[in-house]
Amino acid sequence: MNLKSILHLPLDIIQGKSLWKIRWCWIEQKLFLILTSSIFLQMPAALAQQQEIPEKKLVMREIVTQESPFGTYGSFEKLLRAAEEGNADAQVQVSICYGKGNGVTRDYGKAFTWAMKSAEQGNAKGASIVASCYLQGKGTRKDMPLAVEWLQKAARQGNAEAQNNLGAIYDYGVEGVPQDEKKAFFWFEKSANQDDPDAQYNLGLMYYLGAEGVPQDEKKAFSWFEKSANQGNRNAQYYMAACYSLGKGVKKDISQEFYWLKKSAEQGHPDAQDDLGALYGRDKDVQKVLNQSSTLVFEKTKDQIQELVQKEYSQIDPEAQNKIEKMVYWSNKAAEQGIARAQSNMGIFYILGLGGLRMDTTKALEWWKKAAEQGDAEAQYSLGGCYSGQTLYFKDIPKDIQESRKWLQKAAEQGHERAKKFLERLNQEKDFP
């Protein structure tokens, strides 16, 4: 028997199954965090995690400040003097300084006050900041209708960031603002035509998925993704890779898939990191090491497996060894950001001692538990096998039939056939409760 037949660990990502199963759990952060996408405000991570969008992800544009927080004024004192004299642009900069704590103690109340002074003079950036303050309740009360009102004022003045942000609100729908994909498309297009990269990505997304009044058009989706990706938007870069991999709106091209996937991964995109690790795992020499090293895992001791892995390494060229190391590197990056598939794979890499990792069953179990707790059926199955006491490799892990059954049952309930068979076999044992 081999590794896959006993525990059926998620080696499918390495053995040639489709790399791109497009995930509609959009990559960036959660809607509320994005709506307030830090003009200057920070949001507690715990709160952001409670606002997760399950199927859609839209990006709201951050207002980009000048390289110097004081603009051409040279100091906060001079900037403040100009703001006090009624200069609307200076008032915006003072607001941002107070919001970020640039040259002055952070004070959200003062940040809101100066943004409002600027907005009341018709300054679009000031209006956008006021909207963000009302949206998050920083420096003033939380008030969604007022947030939308000020955002609309900025958008109608032609502010690209506000137009994109308003589009995001209409696309998802928020408190007091019903979802309206036609309005979302209108504002995204306005902003995208002003070269806003986030709006270009959002517009591409609407064309890619199709929406009310927006027929699906993969070529237009690709075109907008490309414009956004070339400006550094990591989400768009991720979908550029997907388009090249699947031939959506463009001819399939593995080299371009790799190029854009790497661009996105290097910017910290967790799914891009996960898929880049899997892409390195496609290499035939890498697959050979994985397959042959895993063949006898459950029939050998750790020392014997280590010897086997080292033997396999010695038979491949340095380039393939480097790919294995990169596969593990990027999978680890994704696993640390909570990607369940990558966490499952890190368990594999630790039991094999791949990519410079020391063989470590404790680490393997830690990663499998993280993935299993997220509902990953393969990781649940792996844990069930580890605690079953039936494998030589995991003899240092105390046998726990109850724990084994718990995880196998969870996997079985998701339709995992091997878990069902394993569970049936354990049920037949006399010491199984």
mmCIF file of all heavy atoms in Angstrom, residues 8 375-378 380-381 407-421:
data_model
loop_
_atom_site.group_PDB
_atom_site.id
_atom_site.type_symbol
_atom_site.label_atom_id
_atom_site.label_comp_id
_atom_site.label_asym_id
_atom_site.label_seq_id
_atom_site.Cartn_x
_atom_site.Cartn_y
_atom_site.Cartn_z
ATOM 1 N N HIS A 8 -4.897 8.817 1.739
ATOM 2 C CA HIS A 8 -5.342 9.691 0.654
ATOM 3 C C HIS A 8 -5.123 11.159 1.006
ATOM 4 O O HIS A 8 -6.039 11.976 1.016
ATOM 5 C CB HIS A 8 -6.818 9.460 0.336
ATOM 6 C CG HIS A 8 -7.223 10.124 -0.955
ATOM 7 N ND1 HIS A 8 -6.656 9.810 -2.159
ATOM 8 C CD2 HIS A 8 -8.148 11.106 -1.224
ATOM 9 C CE1 HIS A 8 -7.197 10.530 -3.117
ATOM 10 N NE2 HIS A 8 -8.097 11.336 -2.577
ATOM 11 N N GLY A 375 -12.540 22.412 8.025
ATOM 12 C CA GLY A 375 -13.433 21.563 7.253
ATOM 13 C C GLY A 375 -12.793 20.837 6.101
ATOM 14 O O GLY A 375 -13.495 20.259 5.261
ATOM 15 N N ASP A 376 -11.459 20.839 6.027
ATOM 16 C CA ASP A 376 -10.775 20.154 4.941
ATOM 17 C C ASP A 376 -10.889 18.637 5.145
ATOM 18 O O ASP A 376 -10.348 18.080 6.109
ATOM 19 C CB ASP A 376 -9.307 20.578 4.892
ATOM 20 C CG ASP A 376 -8.582 20.001 3.691
ATOM 21 O OD1 ASP A 376 -8.183 18.819 3.758
ATOM 22 O OD2 ASP A 376 -8.422 20.722 2.695
ATOM 23 N N ALA A 377 -11.589 17.968 4.243
ATOM 24 C CA ALA A 377 -11.864 16.545 4.406
ATOM 25 C C ALA A 377 -10.604 15.695 4.352
ATOM 26 O O ALA A 377 -10.478 14.692 5.080
ATOM 27 C CB ALA A 377 -12.850 16.079 3.335
ATOM 28 N N GLU A 378 -9.654 16.062 3.507
ATOM 29 C CA GLU A 378 -8.419 15.289 3.399
ATOM 30 C C GLU A 378 -7.627 15.343 4.702
ATOM 31 O O GLU A 378 -7.091 14.341 5.163
ATOM 32 C CB GLU A 378 -7.561 15.815 2.246
ATOM 33 C CG GLU A 378 -8.198 15.705 0.878
ATOM 34 C CD GLU A 378 -8.376 14.259 0.428
ATOM 35 O OE1 GLU A 378 -7.788 13.360 1.052
ATOM 36 O OE2 GLU A 378 -9.111 14.034 -0.541
ATOM 37 N N GLN A 380 -8.875 15.963 7.642
ATOM 38 C CA GLN A 380 -9.643 15.214 8.634
ATOM 39 C C GLN A 380 -9.360 13.724 8.510
ATOM 40 O O GLN A 380 -9.188 13.019 9.513
ATOM 41 C CB GLN A 380 -11.137 15.500 8.447
ATOM 42 C CG GLN A 380 -11.531 16.927 8.793
ATOM 43 C CD GLN A 380 -12.928 17.284 8.345
ATOM 44 O OE1 GLN A 380 -13.546 16.561 7.549
ATOM 45 N NE2 GLN A 380 -13.449 18.400 8.838
ATOM 46 N N TYR A 381 -9.300 13.246 7.295
ATOM 47 C CA TYR A 381 -8.996 11.837 7.032
ATOM 48 C C TYR A 381 -7.586 11.485 7.489
ATOM 49 O O TYR A 381 -7.344 10.429 8.084
ATOM 50 C CB TYR A 381 -9.170 11.568 5.542
ATOM 51 C CG TYR A 381 -8.937 10.144 5.130
ATOM 52 C CD1 TYR A 381 -9.545 9.089 5.814
ATOM 53 C CD2 TYR A 381 -8.127 9.845 4.036
ATOM 54 C CE1 TYR A 381 -9.348 7.776 5.421
ATOM 55 C CE2 TYR A 381 -7.925 8.546 3.644
ATOM 56 C CZ TYR A 381 -8.540 7.512 4.331
ATOM 57 O OH TYR A 381 -8.338 6.213 3.938
ATOM 58 N N TRP A 407 -12.542 12.402 13.581
ATOM 59 C CA TRP A 407 -12.103 13.037 12.345
ATOM 60 C C TRP A 407 -12.511 12.250 11.109
ATOM 61 O O TRP A 407 -12.865 12.837 10.076
ATOM 62 C CB TRP A 407 -10.584 13.250 12.370
ATOM 63 C CG TRP A 407 -10.184 14.296 13.361
ATOM 64 C CD1 TRP A 407 -9.470 14.124 14.503
ATOM 65 C CD2 TRP A 407 -10.518 15.690 13.316
ATOM 66 N NE1 TRP A 407 -9.325 15.309 15.189
ATOM 67 C CE2 TRP A 407 -9.947 16.298 14.475
ATOM 68 C CE3 TRP A 407 -11.223 16.492 12.428
ATOM 69 C CZ2 TRP A 407 -10.080 17.654 14.741
ATOM 70 C CZ3 TRP A 407 -11.356 17.850 12.702
ATOM 71 C CH2 TRP A 407 -10.790 18.413 13.847
ATOM 72 N N LEU A 408 -12.492 10.927 11.216
ATOM 73 C CA LEU A 408 -12.946 10.117 10.090
ATOM 74 C C LEU A 408 -14.431 10.345 9.820
ATOM 75 O O LEU A 408 -14.865 10.398 8.665
ATOM 76 C CB LEU A 408 -12.683 8.632 10.363
ATOM 77 C CG LEU A 408 -11.218 8.192 10.338
ATOM 78 C CD1 LEU A 408 -11.081 6.754 10.827
ATOM 79 C CD2 LEU A 408 -10.638 8.328 8.932
ATOM 80 N N GLN A 409 -15.197 10.488 10.888
ATOM 81 C CA GLN A 409 -16.627 10.735 10.742
ATOM 82 C C GLN A 409 -16.880 12.067 10.048
ATOM 83 O O GLN A 409 -17.744 12.177 9.179
ATOM 84 C CB GLN A 409 -17.295 10.725 12.124
ATOM 85 C CG GLN A 409 -18.815 10.859 12.086
ATOM 86 C CD GLN A 409 -19.488 9.665 11.441
ATOM 87 O OE1 GLN A 409 -19.102 8.522 11.684
ATOM 88 N NE2 GLN A 409 -20.484 9.928 10.599
ATOM 89 N N LYS A 410 -16.118 13.093 10.433
ATOM 90 C CA LYS A 410 -16.278 14.408 9.805
ATOM 91 C C LYS A 410 -15.970 14.340 8.309
ATOM 92 O O LYS A 410 -16.671 14.945 7.487
ATOM 93 C CB LYS A 410 -15.358 15.432 10.480
ATOM 94 C CG LYS A 410 -15.832 15.865 11.873
ATOM 95 C CD LYS A 410 -14.888 16.893 12.472
ATOM 96 C CE LYS A 410 -15.352 17.348 13.856
ATOM 97 N NZ LYS A 410 -16.613 18.124 13.786
ATOM 98 N N ALA A 411 -14.900 13.611 7.976
ATOM 99 C CA ALA A 411 -14.547 13.470 6.563
ATOM 100 C C ALA A 411 -15.611 12.669 5.818
ATOM 101 O O ALA A 411 -16.000 13.015 4.695
ATOM 102 C CB ALA A 411 -13.185 12.800 6.422
ATOM 103 N N ALA A 412 -16.082 11.597 6.451
ATOM 104 C CA ALA A 412 -17.103 10.745 5.833
ATOM 105 C C ALA A 412 -18.384 11.511 5.563
ATOM 106 O O ALA A 412 -19.039 11.327 4.531
ATOM 107 C CB ALA A 412 -17.383 9.534 6.723
ATOM 108 N N GLU A 413 -18.744 12.403 6.479
ATOM 109 C CA GLU A 413 -19.964 13.196 6.322
ATOM 110 C C GLU A 413 -19.868 14.157 5.140
ATOM 111 O O GLU A 413 -20.885 14.659 4.659
ATOM 112 C CB GLU A 413 -20.243 13.971 7.609
ATOM 113 C CG GLU A 413 -20.729 13.085 8.750
ATOM 114 C CD GLU A 413 -20.807 13.816 10.073
ATOM 115 O OE1 GLU A 413 -20.399 15.006 10.124
ATOM 116 O OE2 GLU A 413 -21.253 13.218 11.072
ATOM 117 N N GLN A 414 -18.637 14.411 4.690
ATOM 118 C CA GLN A 414 -18.441 15.253 3.508
ATOM 119 C C GLN A 414 -18.363 14.417 2.232
ATOM 120 O O GLN A 414 -18.058 14.928 1.166
ATOM 121 C CB GLN A 414 -17.169 16.084 3.651
ATOM 122 C CG GLN A 414 -17.223 17.102 4.765
ATOM 123 C CD GLN A 414 -16.081 18.090 4.667
ATOM 124 O OE1 GLN A 414 -15.975 18.846 3.698
ATOM 125 N NE2 GLN A 414 -15.210 18.103 5.670
ATOM 126 N N GLY A 415 -18.622 13.116 2.390
ATOM 127 C CA GLY A 415 -18.610 12.237 1.224
ATOM 128 C C GLY A 415 -17.260 11.629 0.900
ATOM 129 O O GLY A 415 -17.063 11.100 -0.189
ATOM 130 N N HIS A 416 -16.328 11.699 1.835
ATOM 131 C CA HIS A 416 -14.987 11.158 1.611
ATOM 132 C C HIS A 416 -15.050 9.625 1.668
ATOM 133 O O HIS A 416 -15.200 9.028 2.724
ATOM 134 C CB HIS A 416 -14.037 11.699 2.677
ATOM 135 C CG HIS A 416 -12.598 11.550 2.331
ATOM 136 N ND1 HIS A 416 -11.969 10.332 2.236
ATOM 137 C CD2 HIS A 416 -11.647 12.493 2.059
ATOM 138 C CE1 HIS A 416 -10.700 10.519 1.939
ATOM 139 N NE2 HIS A 416 -10.489 11.825 1.813
ATOM 140 N N GLU A 417 -14.922 8.975 0.526
ATOM 141 C CA GLU A 417 -15.120 7.535 0.428
ATOM 142 C C GLU A 417 -14.096 6.741 1.225
ATOM 143 O O GLU A 417 -14.422 5.741 1.866
ATOM 144 C CB GLU A 417 -15.100 7.098 -1.044
ATOM 145 C CG GLU A 417 -16.271 7.622 -1.862
ATOM 146 C CD GLU A 417 -17.616 7.170 -1.303
ATOM 147 O OE1 GLU A 417 -17.713 6.015 -0.824
ATOM 148 O OE2 GLU A 417 -18.558 7.980 -1.340
ATOM 149 N N ARG A 418 -12.842 7.145 1.201
ATOM 150 C CA ARG A 418 -11.812 6.406 1.935
ATOM 151 C C ARG A 418 -12.032 6.510 3.434
ATOM 152 O O ARG A 418 -11.751 5.580 4.184
ATOM 153 C CB ARG A 418 -10.438 6.903 1.531
ATOM 154 C CG ARG A 418 -10.092 6.563 0.081
ATOM 155 C CD ARG A 418 -8.892 7.352 -0.421
ATOM 156 N NE ARG A 418 -8.691 7.121 -1.832
ATOM 157 C CZ ARG A 418 -9.384 7.717 -2.798
ATOM 158 N NH1 ARG A 418 -10.314 8.595 -2.485
ATOM 159 N NH2 ARG A 418 -9.147 7.442 -4.059
ATOM 160 N N ALA A 419 -12.527 7.664 3.860
ATOM 161 C CA ALA A 419 -12.839 7.825 5.281
ATOM 162 C C ALA A 419 -13.968 6.879 5.678
ATOM 163 O O ALA A 419 -13.950 6.284 6.758
ATOM 164 C CB ALA A 419 -13.228 9.269 5.568
ATOM 165 N N LYS A 420 -14.945 6.739 4.809
ATOM 166 C CA LYS A 420 -16.055 5.831 5.074
ATOM 167 C C LYS A 420 -15.560 4.399 5.240
ATOM 168 O O LYS A 420 -15.968 3.675 6.168
ATOM 169 C CB LYS A 420 -17.078 5.897 3.942
ATOM 170 C CG LYS A 420 -17.826 7.216 3.838
ATOM 171 C CD LYS A 420 -18.777 7.210 2.648
ATOM 172 C CE LYS A 420 -19.485 8.545 2.491
ATOM 173 N NZ LYS A 420 -20.387 8.560 1.294
ATOM 174 N N LYS A 421 -14.659 3.979 4.353
ATOM 175 C CA LYS A 421 -14.140 2.613 4.414
ATOM 176 C C LYS A 421 -13.265 2.419 5.656
ATOM 177 O O LYS A 421 -13.313 1.374 6.301
ATOM 178 C CB LYS A 421 -13.345 2.315 3.152
ATOM 179 C CG LYS A 421 -14.216 2.246 1.895
ATOM 180 C CD LYS A 421 -13.382 1.993 0.648
ATOM 181 C CE LYS A 421 -14.259 1.942 -0.595
ATOM 182 N NZ LYS A 421 -13.465 1.722 -1.836
#
